[in-house]
Amino acid sequence: MAKGYWIARVDVRDPERYQDYVAAAKPAFEKYGASFLARGGQFQRLEGAVRARNVVIEFPSLQAAIDCYNSPEYQIAAAIRQEVADAEMVVVEGV
C-alpha cells in the first residue's frame, strides 16, 4: 500500500498562537501514524511563490492522511491554524 503525504506551505502570522495549533494537532498526528519528514527549516526557492514554512508529513496510507485531516481532533487544530496562519495544503499518494 502506498503511503500518503501532507504537503503544507505556511506563513505564520502569530507565532505564539501557532504553538497552540501544534499542541492541538499532536493527538491527531499520533492517532493516524504521522511522521514528520520536513517541518520548517531552511529552503531555497527554485520557481514560483514561496511561503516561510514548508512541512511534509508521511502517513501509512493516503486514506490515513485524509482521515487525519478530516478527524474531529485535527479539525479543532485546523480552526486555530486558520486564525493565525495562511496556508496551502495538499495530500498526495506516494509511489
Side-chain angles (χ1 to χ4, degrees), residues 1 25-26 37 43 54 58 60-61 73 75 82-83 85 88 95:
M1 176 183 312
K26 186 177 180 180
L37 303 180
F43 68 93
N54 300 284
E58 181 181 77
S61 67
E73 298 91 346
Q75 287 304 302
Q82 292 161 357
E83 290 179 12
E88 289 92 30
V95 294

Side-chain angles (χ1 to χ4, degrees), residues 12-83:
V12 177
R13 294 187 312 273
D14 184 340
E16 188 173 308
R17 290 240 17 248
Y18 192 79
Q19 293 308 309
D20 295 337
Y21 158 72
V22 171
K26 186 177 180 180
F29 292 145
E30 289 175 349
K31 180 177 179 179
Y32 290 93
S35 177
F36 285 81
L37 303 180
R39 181 187 255 174
Q42 292 186 23
F43 68 93
Q44 177 64 49
R45 180 178 97 58
L46 300 176
E47 293 184 28
V50 298
R51 291 207 181 259
R53 184 174 178 80
N54 300 284
V55 181
V56 179
I57 308 171
E58 181 181 77
F59 290 85
S61 67
L62 179 65
Q63 192 60 55
I66 293 167
D67 290 347
C68 181
Y69 183 84
N70 290 320
S71 71
E73 298 91 346
Y74 185 75
Q75 287 304 302
I76 291 168
I80 297 169
R81 179 183 42 77
Q82 292 161 357
E83 290 179 12

